């Protein structure tokens, strides 16, 4: 049974040089054609979602009128009675009380906001369009209008960032008491400006420093009461993100919008990563699938292992039966531990999670 729905809004007002998500600079002339195409695709959804996630891009770069148009349309073509969690991603530059109220009125009950850093200099390095004051103001607005479940995204390993600057960003975040914190290590993805800078030697990567940042994050956030339930995700009691949990547990999900992936049983498909093409295909063919595949049981099992290995829940032991020898070595090295019928990374193991995961490929 499918329970998870992802909706991709591919627009941003400014493109960040490190970001590899499918997005484009917002073109105000195309918005309604895009929203109509999205609603056309939503009409084909025939399950009752329990977790809805609006990601991007920046969904809230849409104006209040455009968001109202989208949410009104979705509420007529989807059965939203079973929704427990409805998340919308925001950039601090796109928050207003009016927008917050509108989202709440339509049933959105969780916000994920990209603060990234509380250091003005590092925000400039990241090419962010908002200031730290704006992040604080936007957070306060969201609380004032009534959101009781807010995640803040942070990034560490930013070029030039020192460990004290990172500690400072963490403690400023914690002072706000968000319900959930995602702390990502900066990745240099191909086709981003940051990747080209890395290739040209403008930037360099220091894996030891990244591990130190990560260790500081784990220690500090756990010390102040957040539970690390996935390598990059920390929660207050009961505020785990249902949408992400579903994904890590290998549950089925449907994704709408350009570039969105869907997985149902052994079938996986994704939509074209091109907004103009997406609109055209929805209007001519009634679908915009770019690629479909049937996943083998072995591929599904490997994916499941790799995703759940990053979580506190861990990997169901039966999925690792064929890796007995390696498991033994990791046990002896203190990198993994058994907990009931599951196997999970130890604190030490979290620091080298990618290497452990590679061994199970
Ligand atoms: C779609 S964005 C969130 C909403 C909004 N677009 C924003 O940037 O504020 C998802 C999150 O992914 C993280 N992210 C994006 N690119 C990243 C990268 N190259 N390395 C690490 N984290 C990244 C950021 O923390 C960002 O907030
Ligand atoms: S990080 Fe967020 S705001 Fe920046 S380009 Fe990516 S999706 Fe857009």
């Amino acid at each position: 049974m499918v329970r998870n729905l992802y909706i991709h809004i591919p627009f941003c007002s400014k493109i960040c040089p490190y970001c590899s998500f499918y997005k484009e600079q917002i073109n105000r002339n195309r918005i309604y054609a895009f929203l109509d195409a999205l609603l056309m695709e939503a009409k084909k959804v025939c399950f009752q979602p329990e977790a809805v996630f609006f990601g991007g891009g920046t969904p809230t770069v849409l104006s209040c009128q455009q968001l109202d148009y989208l949410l009104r349309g979705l509420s007529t073509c989807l059965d939203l009675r079973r929704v427990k969690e409805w998340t919308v991603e925001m950039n601090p530059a796109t928050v207003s009380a009016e927008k917050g109220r509108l989202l709440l009125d339509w049933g959105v009950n969780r916000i994920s906001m990209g603060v990234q850093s509380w250091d003005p200099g590092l925000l400039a390095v990241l090419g962010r369009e908002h200031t730290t004051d704006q992040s604080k103001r936007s957070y306060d607005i969201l609380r004032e209008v009534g959101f009781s479940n807010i995640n803040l995204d942070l990034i560490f390993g930013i070029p030039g960032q020192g460990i004290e600057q990172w500690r400072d960003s963490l403690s400023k975040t914690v002072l706000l008491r968000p319900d959930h914190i995602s702390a990502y290590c900066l990745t240099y993805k191909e086709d981003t400006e940051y990747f080209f800078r890395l290739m040209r030697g403008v930037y360099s990567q220091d894996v030891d420093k990244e591990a130190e940042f990560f260790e500081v994050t784990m220690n500090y956030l756990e010390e102040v009461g957040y539970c690390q339930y996935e390598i990059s995700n920390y929660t207050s009691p009961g505020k785990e993100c249902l949408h992400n949990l579903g994904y890590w547990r290998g549950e089925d999900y449907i994704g709408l919008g350009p570039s969105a992936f869907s997985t149902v049983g052994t079938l996986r498909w994704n939509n074209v990563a091109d907004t103009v093409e997406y609109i055209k295909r929805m209007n001519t063919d009634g679908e915009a699938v770019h690629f479909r595949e049937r996943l083998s049981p072995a591929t599904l099992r490997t994916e499941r292992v790799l995703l759940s290995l990053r979580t506190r829940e861990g990997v169901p032991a039966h999925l690792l039966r064929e890796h007995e020898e390696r498991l033994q070595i990791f046990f002896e090295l203190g990198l993994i531990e058994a907990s009931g019928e599951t196997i999970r990374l130890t604190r030490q193991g979290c620091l080298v999670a990618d290497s452990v995961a590679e061994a199970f490929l």
Side-chain angles (χ1 to χ4, degrees):
M1 191 178 62
V2 189
R3 291 191 299 207
N4 305 300
L5 180 66
Y6 174 81
I7 297 185
H8 193 78
I9 313 285
F11 305 119
C12 294
S13 43
K14 181 169 185 259
I15 302 300
C16 308
Y18 56 86
C19 175
S20 67
F21 291 103
Y22 173 66
K23 78 278 164 193
E24 59 177 76
Q25 188 118 24
I26 189 158
N27 176 339
R28 300 269 169 203
N29 300 325
R30 258 210 296 276
I31 305 284
Y32 282 100
F34 166 72
L35 295 178
D36 285 335
L38 198 54
L39 291 172
M40 227 183 279
E41 201 183 11
K43 284 199 182 102
K44 299 197 305 183
V45 170
C46 53
F47 65 96
Q48 295 176 306
E50 290 178 23
V52 181
F53 196 101
F54 278 20
T58 305
T60 47
V61 79
L62 298 177
S63 68
C64 285
Q65 287 82 349
Q66 291 157 350
L67 280 170
D68 187 62
Y69 183 81
L70 172 62
L71 294 164
R72 192 176 297 277
L74 288 178
S75 72
T76 59
C77 59
L78 293 175
D79 183 348
L80 297 168
R81 282 172 301 178
R82 289 224 178 140
V83 173
K84 292 186 197 137
E85 175 192 277
W86 186 341
T87 305
V88 170
E89 285 192 327
M90 287 185 140
N91 169 319
T94 61
V95 176
S96 70
E98 191 190 356
K99 224 172 257 186
R101 272 187 230 108
L102 176 86
L103 295 174
L104 269 177
D105 286 348
W106 281 109
V108 174
N109 56 14
R110 184 173 185 272
I111 295 294
S112 179
M113 188 167 75
V115 162
Q116 323 306 1
S117 173
W118 291 102
D119 184 289
L122 293 177
L123 280 188
V125 172
L126 288 174
R128 299 289 291 180
E129 61 173 329
H130 55 89
T131 62
T132 53
D133 285 348
Q134 226 170 345
S135 299
K136 169 76 172 66
R137 234 182 359 259
S138 296
Y139 181 82
D140 291 342
I141 288 173
L142 293 169
R143 283 296 194 210
E144 277 156 26
V145 299
F147 281 102
S148 57
N149 195 355
I150 301 181
N151 167 62
L152 297 182
D153 284 340
L154 297 174
I155 297 182
F156 62 83
I158 303 166
Q161 185 180 32
I163 202 82
E164 284 315 315
Q165 276 172 309
W166 175 236
R167 278 188 212 276
D168 186 57
S169 267
L170 281 174
S171 64
K172 285 190 170 131
T173 304
V174 164
L175 275 180
L176 299 175
R177 290 314 298 182
D179 305 275
H180 188 286
I181 298 171
S182 299
Y184 300 112
C185 180
L186 180 76
T187 54
Y188 293 84
K189 299 259 173 67
E190 276 183 44
D191 292 339
T192 63
E193 173 58 28
Y194 260 45
F195 180 76
F196 296 126
R197 289 182 201 166
L198 183 70
M199 290 297 106
R200 288 201 306 269
V202 180
Y203 293 155
S204 60
Q205 231 179 331
D206 181 340
V207 286
D208 292 334
K209 202 164 159 199
E210 285 174 359
E212 194 185 346
F213 279 116
F214 180 54
E215 204 167 6
V216 164
T217 314
M218 287 197 291
N219 291 341
Y220 180 68
L221 292 182
E222 295 225 313
E223 206 176 284
V224 295
Y226 289 91
C227 165
Q228 184 186 24
Y229 71 115
E230 197 263 355
I231 292 271
S232 309
N233 287 281
Y234 301 80
T235 184
S236 312
K239 295 291 178 82
E240 292 86 354
C241 173
L242 287 186
H243 171 269
N244 289 351
L245 274 179
Y247 178 67
W248 298 326
R249 287 174 181 156
E251 291 175 10
D252 292 341
Y253 57 92
I254 293 286
L256 310 179
S259 81
F261 276 85
S262 302
T263 305
V264 178
T266 58
L267 269 185
R268 170 157 312 151
W269 65 95
N270 88 314
N271 283 343
V272 282
D274 179 326
T275 307
V276 172
E277 188 63 20
Y278 172 79
I279 297 170
K280 203 164 105 200
R281 290 274 314 274
M282 284 310 303
N283 282 296
T284 53
D285 308 340
E287 62 152 54
V289 177
H290 160 67
F291 171 78
R292 268 191 191 90
E293 64 180 328
R294 194 167 281 284
L295 302 165
S296 69
T299 306
L300 278 168
R301 196 169 52 241
T302 306
E303 280 188 0
R304 179 83 207 283
V305 168
L306 297 187
L307 287 172
S308 52
L309 187 66
R310 296 171 58 88
T311 67
R312 194 179 183 82
E313 280 180 356
V315 188
H318 69 91
L319 294 178
L320 291 171
R321 237 170 250 139
E322 61 188 282
H323 298 286
E324 277 302 330
E325 266 175 47
R326 284 189 194 139
L327 280 180
Q328 203 47 46
I329 297 171
F330 290 141
F331 273 125
E332 280 162 23
L333 290 171
L335 299 178
I336 57 173
E337 62 190 7
S339 158
E341 278 306 293
T342 56
I343 286 163
R344 65 180 185 208
L345 293 171
T346 58
R347 211 171 184 67
Q348 203 53 33
C350 283
L351 292 171
V352 288
D354 289 344
S355 311
V356 176
E358 259 172 48
F360 298 131
L361 281 180

